[in-house]
Amino acid sequence: MTKPILVKNTKEMMRNLDFPECIKLADLGCSSGQNTFMVMSDIVNTINTLCEESNKKPPEIDCCLNDLSGNDFNTTFKFMIFFKDMLTSKIPCFVSGVPGSFYSRLFTRKSLHFIHSNYSLHYLSKVPDRLEKNKMSVYITGSSPISEHKAYLNQFQTDFTTFLRMRSEEMVCNGCMVLTLLGRKTHVDPLYRDCCHYWTLLPQSLSDLVFEGLVSASKVKSFNLPFYDPNEEEMREIIRNEGSFMIKDLETHVFDLGHSNEDYSLQSDRAKAGEKEANCIRAVVETMLVAHFGDAINIDTLFEKYAHHVSQHASCKNKTSVSLVVSLIRN
Amino acid sequence: MTKPILVKNTKEMMRNLDFPECIKLADLGCSSGQNTFMVMSDIVNTINTLCEESNKKPPEIDCCLNDLSGNDFNTTFKFMIFFKDMLTSKIPCFVSGVPGSFYSRLFTRKSLHFIHSNYSLHYLSKVPDRLEKNKMSVYITGSSPISEHKAYLNQFQTDFTTFLRMRSEEMVCNGCMVLTLLGRKTHVDPLYRDCCHYWTLLPQSLSDLVFEGLVSASKVKSFNLPFYDPNEEEMREIIRNEGSFMIKDLETHVFDLGHSNEDYSLQSDRAKAGEKEANCIRAVVETMLVAHFGDAINIDTLFEKYAHHVSQHASCKNKTSVSLVVSLIRN
């Protein structure tokens, strides 16, 4: 989904910067594993092909992989041996791991040419302050007071503005960013979420555990996700107000975890869709659940409940979640 | 021991490069833990003090920590929080981990200003080819044939030349390297090693295990260390022949693991010295022993033997091991 926009922007960056001798790329929020190398190899191969077509010497490339310092960089580095195999030429690439929050400075000034970030920027630097505690939700729901929605939006505005300011210091003029994050459809007020949103089904699954006496209600009530899914307009406004970047592309794509357009007349298919989404959401949220609940929760049981709830909603057509893909040029 | 030479060369590098806006430092063979941050903080604090004294704006600093991709970078990154405390000012420092062998290119061309490496360059890229196998040593000994000595020296010449060539491509003109490695005294032929050299005592300890039936002789005979301890003259010759660097300092310091000048009239003191050196050498060689012997060896037992052998030699004055400290300027 992101690849065409990544390829197009990589080429334009190279042309705008007149084919520099060295290029510094960054993946912000790379997580652990080999996914980061798949995107990096797409960018490197695009640069190489463009240089061949344009009869230019390919640059040397710094590939910087960033995530929080608690991330498992060791595992990521073990996949480096496969990276060379993904490259279509022997273009010199140098991999490094950069531990730290992307809501702070990570690189020296004016050093970066190209940044991408996949499904990380919807994470806030923290849960907003002063949320009400007497509820069983983990995020904004249809019954959340308007003040709660504002608290989440404010935190996102603060964090994303910080992100843009930090990157504006680190990037060269005409450098490029391609950012993909979870968002919501423009016309949807988050107070009126769809019934089958993952952050609606997660607290329902937590409530099941409370009902069965497997976890305390008070523990669930104090759990909130440091998350915000902006709409297109909110993104545009923050970028415009911060002022360092120009929007080149801003696309929304359906985010359905790959099962919303299938036929769910069979119970077994619905169960499969439930398991698939449960695994996906578990990968995203497990660390945060463990940090909050520790041994007080059985994660396997929780996601069995979750899978069941998903299967009940398999045919819902009222999805509000989207992937936002935005490309930005440093002024 | 290295600090004065490190401080002096850091200052000269800053002056020679006319106080750049950004500085890229590298620790090659950083291992895991917090030692790397101690040396990095010495360099950063020196830069900061010099800038204050010279009324210059301090630079932003890239601190690159390199080791093989199997190194435990996760642990090192956890110590980052202490790094800020070691710094005397709020000079902007950005830490990254760079996985890979320093016998290959690790950084983009002409990007590095200052390199240091502590006790890593005596490790060869591999055990020399065609060593004789019918022996119980792990390295060159007094009874090794001259061909074996030559094989080790050749491998060191190849590896250290490669190291210099790779770094010469990565460093800016007038950039500086401070390298500390294990060496031997200039007048000592490695064929006539001292009786209490750590690579003499290690095979003795391995032989004890063979004698007690705890490991097979053939397994011990096939174990060789990818190691060479050059003398000053060998170092000078390789640097001169490679041609990219000028030697500024070349110092030799006694390497005695901190116990050769103590009084060992008491058995308990000798035992303590034995344990101390055993821990030290174990830290250096354990990974290699495990890689070769796997479960076929009990490391605890091996280093109990080792500690015993050291205690028997505690009063030896005939040490041939030295630390070589060399500083180089990129021509």
Side-chain angles (χ1 to χ4, degrees), chain A residues 23-129:
Chain A
I23 290 284
K24 192 164 169 179
L25 311 174
D27 178 357
L28 305 182
C30 65
S31 188
S32 67
Q34 60 182 320
N35 282 352
T36 184
F37 291 118
M38 289 166 68
V39 186
M40 278 290 174
S41 62
D42 283 341
I43 301 173
V44 171
N45 290 335
T46 300
I47 292 175
N48 189 54
T49 308
L50 179 70
C51 288
E52 279 180 3
E53 287 168 4
S54 316
N55 213 13
K56 301 276 185 183
K57 196 185 167 201
E60 294 193 350
I61 304 182
D62 246 344
C63 299
C64 307
L65 315 180
N66 154 262
D67 212 314
L68 295 173
S69 60
N71 183 53
D72 184 0
F73 284 95
N74 289 353
T75 297
T76 302
F77 290 161
K78 289 199 179 86
F79 287 105
M80 261 176 64
I81 47 165
F82 303 113
F83 182 41
K84 302 263 142 112
D85 295 338
M86 295 176 192
L87 302 180
T88 54
S89 79
K90 288 199 174 175
I91 193 165
C93 285
F94 307 102
V95 172
S96 61
V98 179
S101 163
F102 50 54
Y103 295 127
S104 66
R105 282 284 303 279
L106 295 166
F107 303 95
T108 51
R109 66 167 77 102
K110 295 193 175 78
S111 65
L112 284 171
H113 301 84
F114 197 92
I115 287 172
H116 74 96
S117 176
N118 278 343
Y119 294 110
S120 295
L121 276 161
H122 42 245
Y123 290 118
L124 304 172
S125 66
K126 58 171 190 170
V127 172
D129 297 329

Side-chain angles (χ1 to χ4, degrees), chain B residues 13-72:
Chain B
M13 176 272 297
M14 285 299 289
R15 290 199 193 96
N16 288 342
L17 298 176
D18 199 19
F19 294 86
E21 279 196 0
C22 290
I23 289 284
K24 192 164 168 178
L25 310 174
D27 178 358
L28 304 181
C30 65
S31 188
S32 68
Q34 60 181 319
N35 283 352
T36 184
F37 291 117
M38 290 166 68
V39 186
M40 278 291 174
S41 63
D42 284 342
I43 300 172
V44 171
N45 289 336
T46 301
I47 290 174
N48 189 54
T49 307
L50 179 70
C51 287
E52 278 180 3
E53 286 168 5
S54 315
N55 211 13
K56 301 275 186 185
K57 196 183 168 203
E60 294 193 350
I61 304 181
D62 245 343
C63 299
C64 307
L65 315 180
N66 154 263
D67 212 312
L68 295 173
S69 59
N71 183 53
D72 184 0

